[in-house]
Amino acid sequence: MLRIGTVDERRAAARRLWSLFENYHVLTYFTPESRAAADALGCKGGWMGYFAQRAAPFGEASPELVISTFYNFHPGKVRRALPDAWAVAGAERFLTARLSGVDGALRRLLGEEVLAGPELAELAELGREAASAAPITGRPLAAANAALPWPEQPHLVLWHAATILRESRGDGHIATLVAAGLDPCEALVVYAADHDMSGEAMRGWRGWSEQEWQDAADRLTDRGLLADDELTPEGDDLRAWCEQRTDDGAAVPWVAVGEEATQRFAELLTPIARTLAAGNEAFKNNPMALHLVT
């Protein structure tokens, strides 16, 4: 039962709900259908499609804007995709492509019966209400997605809601990293240490070199946040502070819609999120993939 009466309850609810709607949102970029939609436009490689589709709500965004708002990708990785992607197709075509990819993935993974059912329609309305209350001030990716028109079909309404909620949370998390004085590579080193992960996969996924990773670890060590690739008590405290502040901001839409609607949203989305998490093979090789809370 999700409660949102106390600060701790709101934080727990925000994190639980993130673990659910993130599995719906990631279909935007990490499915065969999303890759095929971007490739059909002429993208060269999956990362060009990813950066262009995610940045498309901004219009034909500069590399600098994407480096800033996506935060933990190496600038060189972004520059290999942008602005070349905009010569392949304009932002409006990428927006159409990402919606097409999501539609195809949802039809394959959930099936027509689920998509046409009354529970999905109810979920879509609950998601839209929550997303409409999601903070966008100081949250550029959330704001850019919130400015787009809502799709008509319920399964795509729910996707659009999940995307706004996800980007609002992500924007808020970046704000906490900036406030904590963690630069993009340092934030990844902290994440890896907190999850007892090797940096190799993380570096490859986000584009940082071994030397850049080591330099970031050295800076964290100098600050007393890291020791022998493990977080110190001070590092644990800073990581917890960032996560708590992120959850505080992400709880805002659920407080707005109320406890009953929040609980109903979680109840309806849980089996769908489990199905998507189990069936979305394309996302399982992401070292930052969010594992569904059972």
Side-chain angles (χ1 to χ4, degrees):
M1 185 72 175
L2 290 182
R3 303 288 188 187
I4 55 175
T6 69
V7 170
D8 286 343
E9 287 172 344
R10 291 194 291 272
R11 289 172 178 167
R15 186 158 290 266
R16 165 66 178 175
L17 290 157
W18 173 43
S19 78
L20 298 175
F21 65 67
E22 181 77 358
N23 285 283
Y24 208 95
H25 163 77
V26 297
L27 302 178
T28 314
Y29 316 110
F30 302 108
T31 62
E33 291 84 357
S34 66
R35 174 65 184 268
D39 287 352
L41 293 178
C43 284
K44 300 173 183 177
W47 285 112
M48 177 178 279
Y50 169 81
F51 285 117
Q53 289 184 88
R54 190 175 173 205
F58 287 136
E60 295 174 11
S62 68
E64 291 77 13
L65 178 57
V66 173
I67 290 165
S68 172
T69 54
F70 288 25
Y71 200 67
N72 59 25
F73 286 96
H74 192 285
K77 194 175 185 76
V78 177
R79 294 184 192 280
R80 284 192 290 274
L82 301 175
D84 289 355
W86 310 130
V88 169
E92 287 295 330
R93 292 182 65 195
F94 275 107
L95 288 174
T96 299
R98 77 174 190 170
L99 198 61
S100 172
V102 167
D103 181 59
L106 285 168
R107 292 183 186 281
R108 171 175 60 87
L109 291 167
L110 295 180
E112 299 294 337
E113 184 175 350
V114 171
L115 297 192
E119 290 187 342
L120 198 288
E122 183 181 355
L123 253 178
E125 288 307 307
L126 290 169
R128 182 169 183 162
E129 184 180 359
S132 297
I136 61 172
T137 304
R139 299 173 191 244
L141 273 166
N145 279 279
L148 298 175
W150 284 88
E152 294 183 3
Q153 295 173 293
H155 65 288
L156 296 179
V157 170
L158 180 58
W159 164 79
H160 189 54
T163 299
I164 294 169
L165 290 165
R166 190 266 173 224
E167 297 293 21
S168 180
R169 180 187 178 88
D171 288 337
H173 187 59
I174 289 171
T176 71
L177 297 176
V178 173
L182 295 173
D183 72 26
C185 193
E186 291 168 359
L188 291 175
V189 174
V190 169
Y191 180 93
D194 187 52
H195 289 76
D196 195 24
M197 292 172 55
S198 164
E200 185 175 357
M202 188 77 73
R203 288 190 293 102
W205 192 257
R206 291 295 190 257
W208 299 93
S209 70
E210 186 173 357
Q211 186 60 58
E212 288 167 326
W213 187 272
Q214 185 59 54
D215 290 345
D218 289 344
R219 293 192 296 273
L220 293 169
T221 300
D222 290 343
R223 289 177 63 185
L225 303 175
L226 195 71
D228 298 324
D229 296 325
E230 295 184 358
L231 293 178
T232 64
E234 292 79 6
D236 282 329
D237 288 345
L238 186 63
R239 169 76 177 165
W241 181 87
C242 289
E243 294 302 309
Q244 289 168 356
R245 300 292 81 70
T246 300
D247 288 334
D248 287 341
V252 169
W254 308 110
V255 173
V257 301
E259 195 165 89
E260 183 177 349
T262 297
Q263 176 61 32
R264 181 60 173 165
F265 183 82
E267 175 187 324
L268 292 174
L269 188 54
T270 294
I272 289 174
R274 286 180 176 149
T275 298
L276 295 176
N280 188 4
E281 294 292 334
F283 193 53
K284 292 180 180 178
N285 66 345
N286 183 345
M288 295 188 78
L290 180 68
H291 298 290
L292 180 68
V293 178
T294 57

